[in-house]
Amino acid sequence: MGVASARRDRADPVSGAGNTRARYRRILRFAAWHLAVTWWFELFLPRVGLVRIAERTRTARMLRFARRFHDLAVDLGGLMIKVGQFLSSRLDVLPPEITTELEGLQDEVPPVSFAAIRALAEAELGAPFSQRFAWVEETPIAAASLGQAHRARLLPADAADTGLENVVVKVQRPGIDAIVDVDMAALRRVGGWLSHFLLVSDRVDMPALVEEFAQTSFEEIDYLHEAAGSERFAADFAGDVRVAVPAVVWERCTRRVLTLEDVTAIKITDVEALRAAGIDPVDVAPVFAAVMFDQLFTNGYFHADPHPGNIFVTPVPARPGEPAWKLTFIDFGMMGEVTAGTRSGLRKLLIAAASRDGKGLVAAISDVGVLIPSADTQELERAMTQLFARFGGMGFAELREVDPREFRDFAVEFGDVMRSLPFQLPENFLLIIRAMSLTSGVCSSLDPRFNLWDSVEPYAARLLRDERGNLIQDAGRQVLDVAGLAIGLPRRLDGLITRAEEGSLAVGNPRLERQVALLNRGARRVASVLVFGALLIAGAVVRGGDPGLGNLLMLVSALPLLHGLWVGRRG
């Protein structure tokens, strides 16, 4: 298909069945070709002993893929832009050539003519623009893959009612419903292809992930859903001096038209504009990371599309002890929720990562459902422990300076372990991974030397303090459980003796041996847990008056805890 034909598909996506079929076929041809290339170089050649060819050509192949996908996304628009934006945000793991090639997708989506936008908006609002707004700027301030935004001014009566004057009117691209339908049909087909690769199907339910992406995409083109999400997000951060959210003008909103307060400011990754405003980009990165952590680990409701085009840095009057700027979030069409159980698992994961606890990290991964319960995790625990020992605490910039041979040696030693374990990707993790990937990419753009550990550690320490009461309660429950076992044991032993006297005891049944061993281990664990709890509580109490002694007691409390854990594992 030529470029001119592709552009006709983009400009008039719903003019006929032929255009939709051509769009569908083009997406499938692109995916099929690159899946075949990946299979040949990454799966077939290594099996026949030609792994060096795959390694030597990998960078060039990735760069060709990025360029071709860039052209495809710009020509077709729609959901292809969303996929490209996700790839362009992976500054932390993808080489600069790839992210640079795709980062233009954030801003270069061609706008729709104002005449088409005006016709759709007036039909939705039920009146000409002149009866709904004082004026509307014809040149869009942003053209996204699913809609575009124009500055406008409310009529005097509406301005008096809302307290707003300058607003932004966001209007869907004409025909976007049909585009999304076609793109989702193609993505479902590609997801079906991927399901035939054992490396993929053993770890993720691709059809379920595609359907989750479909749900978020359809929600994103429902502007009433976005308006409600905006107000919920604002309520979560009410009173937080770090965050601002535009107000919604509900009287000028429909499913396809959204009117919001104009909060346009400095794009978060525009480091030159930030410096010109007296704002150090290095100061912005940790605040942005902390705000995203709050959404994921505390609020449970998070912005799932925090790419640079959706976050402004807004200068505000300086106040003592507060930054002279705020983070202003826009575009709440793609939001995610974290259940209480998943949020608890994510907190454990964050605490384990901050403390470089390989075993705890593996346990947290299992808790959130990424690793199935039946998996043998001993080798994975060893891999994570060594990974923390060698690379823990490094920022992305420092990791790029590490000798690639060290990563290769690690991959050789533990690659089989990672491939053999039954990983799976829970459905709600798609948006979580997207949000964290975009967060790390934005932070790296603000500060190339940004170290995620610097933001994780104080946040994890606060979570640990907040959950200290839960930790003591868990230890207390464990003591009660083991004590209950010990109290009930004499009665169970008496029953066993009676059965032996009656001749009804099955000789050779290993359950008796396990019960006795469990009693012995239980007694030792009771003692260890009690000593651990006493030292931990004493350290927490003493720490306020004598930090040195308190820290020492809390540190020493780890010894009986480790003993208790060792007794349980040994058993």
Side-chain angles (χ1 to χ4, degrees), residues 43-332:
L43 296 179
F44 179 76
L45 292 185
R47 288 182 179 178
V48 297
L50 300 177
V51 66
R52 291 186 178 180
I53 295 178
E55 293 175 348
R56 188 168 59 249
T57 62
R58 184 171 292 127
T59 300
R61 284 185 284 110
M62 291 181 68
L63 185 56
R64 282 197 300 272
F65 166 80
R67 288 173 176 168
R68 290 171 180 172
F69 185 86
H70 180 282
D71 294 339
L72 178 80
V74 171
D75 282 341
L76 296 183
L79 297 184
M80 298 301 103
I81 295 290
K82 291 295 180 184
V83 177
Q85 288 176 342
F86 176 74
L87 295 176
S88 72
S89 70
R90 296 309 307 267
L91 301 175
D92 50 332
V93 295
L94 294 179
E97 296 82 4
I98 306 301
T99 56
T100 300
E101 186 66 33
L102 294 178
E103 67 183 1
L105 290 173
Q106 307 283 7
D107 302 308
E108 69 174 32
V109 183
V112 178
S113 69
F114 181 72
I117 290 292
R118 179 171 188 159
L120 189 152
E122 289 181 344
E124 285 289 311
L125 296 174
F129 266 167
S130 60
Q131 297 180 19
R132 294 291 182 259
F133 300 97
W135 63 268
V136 178
E137 191 174 273
E138 294 191 8
T139 303
I141 59 173
S145 54
L146 304 181
Q148 65 188 48
H150 295 256
R151 282 195 175 94
R153 182 173 297 157
L154 293 177
L155 293 169
D158 293 332
D161 290 340
T162 61
L164 304 174
E165 183 177 4
N166 296 319
V167 295
V168 170
V169 181
K170 184 176 176 181
V171 183
Q172 280 186 11
R173 284 177 169 256
I176 194 63
D177 290 332
I179 292 176
V180 171
D181 286 341
V182 171
D183 290 357
M184 284 311 312
L187 290 176
R188 289 187 179 99
R189 187 71 177 273
V190 175
W193 292 345
L194 289 172
S195 297
H196 289 89
F197 288 86
L198 291 179
L199 186 64
V200 176
S201 61
D202 287 348
R203 288 162 172 78
V204 63
D205 185 350
M206 279 303 302
L209 286 181
V210 171
E211 291 309 314
E212 183 181 2
F213 182 69
Q215 179 182 351
T216 59
S217 299
F218 288 122
E219 288 177 351
E220 196 168 359
I221 59 175
D222 182 353
Y223 286 168
L224 294 177
H225 179 272
E226 178 176 345
S230 172
E231 293 201 335
R232 178 176 173 182
F233 187 88
D236 283 345
F237 286 96
D240 193 322
V241 298
R242 303 170 301 171
V243 178
V245 179
V248 179
V249 183
W250 283 99
E251 294 79 7
R252 297 292 177 265
C253 294
T254 72
R255 182 178 173 275
R256 293 181 174 85
V257 177
L258 178 65
T259 304
L260 301 167
E261 175 188 7
D262 187 356
V263 292
T264 308
I266 304 171
K267 185 177 178 179
I268 190 170
T269 52
D270 190 345
V271 294
E272 293 184 2
L274 290 173
R275 293 192 181 102
I279 301 170
D280 188 347
V282 173
D283 295 336
V284 177
V287 175
F288 174 61
V291 168
M292 292 304 300
F293 288 156
D294 281 342
Q295 296 173 46
L296 285 164
F297 302 114
T298 303
N299 301 340
Y301 186 68
F302 63 95
H303 198 302
D305 195 22
H307 68 75
N310 285 339
I311 302 124
F312 296 121
V313 178
T314 306
V316 297
R319 295 181 179 179
E322 298 179 4
W325 47 270
K326 288 187 175 185
L327 295 172
T328 301
F329 287 77
I330 63 171
D331 195 350
F332 298 91

Side-chain angles (χ1 to χ4, degrees), residues 23-43:
R23 179 185 184 89
Y24 177 79
R25 288 196 300 267
R26 188 177 181 196
I27 295 172
L28 292 188
R29 283 200 302 269
F30 180 90
W33 169 254
H34 287 282
L35 282 175
V37 170
T38 300
W39 175 86
W40 176 262
F41 282 96
E42 303 298 338
L43 296 179

Side-chain angles (χ1 to χ4, degrees), residues 435-490:
M436 293 312 299
S437 299
L438 289 166
T439 298
S440 63
V442 169
C443 289
S444 296
S445 296
L446 290 166
D447 180 8
R449 306 290 301 180
F450 177 77
N451 189 337
L452 189 62
W453 301 106
D454 293 339
S455 294
V456 167
E457 287 177 339
Y459 195 86
R462 177 161 65 86
L463 287 179
L464 192 57
R465 287 194 301 271
D466 293 343
E467 300 206 355
R468 182 178 295 160
N470 295 333
L471 180 64
I472 296 174
Q473 290 175 8
D474 291 342
R477 281 194 294 268
Q478 185 177 8
V479 172
L480 292 175
D481 290 342
V482 177
L485 176 64
I487 292 171
L489 189 62

